[in-house]
Amino acid sequence: MAVANKKIVFLTGAGMSAESGISTFRDAGGLWEQYPVMQVASHTGWLQDPELVTRFYNERRKQLFDTKPCDGHKLVAGLEQNYDVVVITQNVDDLHERAGSTNVIHLHGELRKVCSSRDVENPACWQVLDRNNWEVEPGTKAADGSLLRPYIVFFEEAVPMIVPAAQQVGEADVLVIIGTSLNVYPAAGLVNYVREGVPVYLIDPKEVSVPIDLNITHIQAGATEGMERLINIIGI
Ligand code: OAD
């Protein structure tokens, strides 16, 4: 009988994509220093000025098509050869998928997708944009006649993928947290679902305050070097 592979669950944030050239949010010079977060990334902000929000995410999407996965993303994907790997990401980019990861849960939405503003989860209204068609003209309508909006979980909105994500963390044999300040809930609360005794690795060049007391090894490095060190520790 085949023996099931160990399950490694990754929880990633903006620092995972920093080496691909995408700004983090809360580091010095980060995105939320340049843009008022509640204007461009909240439900209220969307209702008040959908044009500003549409243009903000157009810019992010355009930049995404000029970036590539970093070696850190590729090392995460490469572990699928020997482990059952689940990536839970707060990132709205598709760099994990482009690096080859096949099991990715996006907690905060997907930049390449746009949707109905009446019913975000109605797949009939989803559109996936690409390199040659990245821009949404403000005022464009979705198939149901509502304004087309970015498929992004705005602040003040529910996070539907938190339930499957929590289940995956609860089944993890190893949890690896990469490049997140753990400032934003409910994503940060996922660490509460780790089973007792499960090793937790945290890859981040800075100290990160983790909300509960866990069996944590901090690998103080960027995503790529951190992944190389992790692989040396756990073995491929
Ligand atoms: P933050 O900007 O809050 O945190 C980024 C983390 O990445 C920090 O701990 C940095 O030290 C770390 N970091 C920086 N460079 C790194 C590198 N090269 N390798 C590894 N780590 C590095 O970003 P998030 O925690 O992802 O949500 O932010 C969470 C959410 O807040 C985002 O998903 C976004 C934002 O508002 C929405 O917009 C809904």
Side-chain angles (χ1 to χ4, degrees):
M1 198 171 72
V3 179
N5 283 336
K6 269 191 171 181
K7 181 177 278 203
I8 304 194
V9 176
F10 286 87
L11 172 61
T12 68
M16 181 79 232
S17 298
E19 289 160 28
S20 292
I22 299 180
S23 291
T24 61
F25 296 96
R26 295 175 184 79
D27 288 304
L31 218 51
W32 295 155
E33 247 177 43
Q34 302 165 52
Y35 298 92
V37 49
M38 294 312 275
Q39 277 179 32
V40 297
S42 75
H43 187 77
T44 307
W46 163 256
L47 294 178
Q48 280 171 348
D49 195 345
E51 177 167 345
L52 176 80
V53 176
T54 299
R55 290 194 194 284
F56 174 77
Y57 285 101
N58 277 345
E59 267 317 297
R60 310 272 77 71
R61 197 177 303 112
K62 180 174 180 230
Q63 182 197 28
L64 177 59
F65 290 118
D66 290 334
T67 59
K68 291 197 181 89
C70 71
D71 288 345
H73 291 107
K74 292 179 194 161
L75 290 169
V76 170
L79 287 177
E80 289 192 14
Q81 284 173 16
N82 296 299
Y83 293 92
D84 176 8
V85 178
V86 178
V87 178
I88 302 168
T89 187
Q90 295 164 85
N91 298 343
V92 296
D93 64 54
D94 62 349
L95 295 174
H96 280 298
E97 289 93 336
R98 278 199 261 153
S101 284
T102 59
N103 196 356
V104 182
I105 297 176
H106 283 274
L107 290 175
H108 294 163
E110 293 169 66
L111 193 47
R112 289 190 57 188
K113 264 190 190 168
V114 287
C115 60
S116 153
S117 50
R118 187 175 303 139
D119 181 3
V120 169
E121 296 302 337
N122 176 3
C125 292
W126 288 347
Q127 293 175 39
V128 180
L129 304 179
D130 61 32
R131 174 178 292 282
N132 301 316
N133 174 31
W134 52 268
E135 189 167 20
V136 175
E137 187 59 37
T140 306
K141 299 279 171 43
D144 64 0
S146 70
L147 269 189
L148 199 59
R149 65 163 260 185
Y151 186 74
I152 299 288
V153 176
F154 293 137
F155 285 102
E156 309 163 335
E157 293 182 337
V159 179
M161 294 310 284
I162 201 71
V163 174
Q167 182 175 346
Q168 293 296 341
V169 174
E171 292 172 3
D173 297 307
V174 179
L175 177 70
V176 185
I177 303 169
I178 307 182
T180 171
S181 62
L182 294 178
N183 262 291
V184 173
Y185 281 78
L190 283 172
V191 292
N192 289 297
Y193 293 86
V194 181
R195 287 173 299 163
E196 209 178 318
V198 164
V200 179
Y201 296 90
L202 185 141
I203 298 175
D204 200 298
K206 288 197 198 146
E207 290 297 330
V208 175
S209 159
V210 179
I212 57 163
D213 195 16
L214 290 169
N215 175 18
I216 292 191
T217 304
H218 184 186
I219 300 177
Q220 196 153 10
T224 298
E225 187 196 329
M227 276 304 298
E228 286 163 357
R229 283 163 58 181
L230 176 82
I231 287 165
N232 276 333
I233 297 169
I234 63 169
I236 282 219

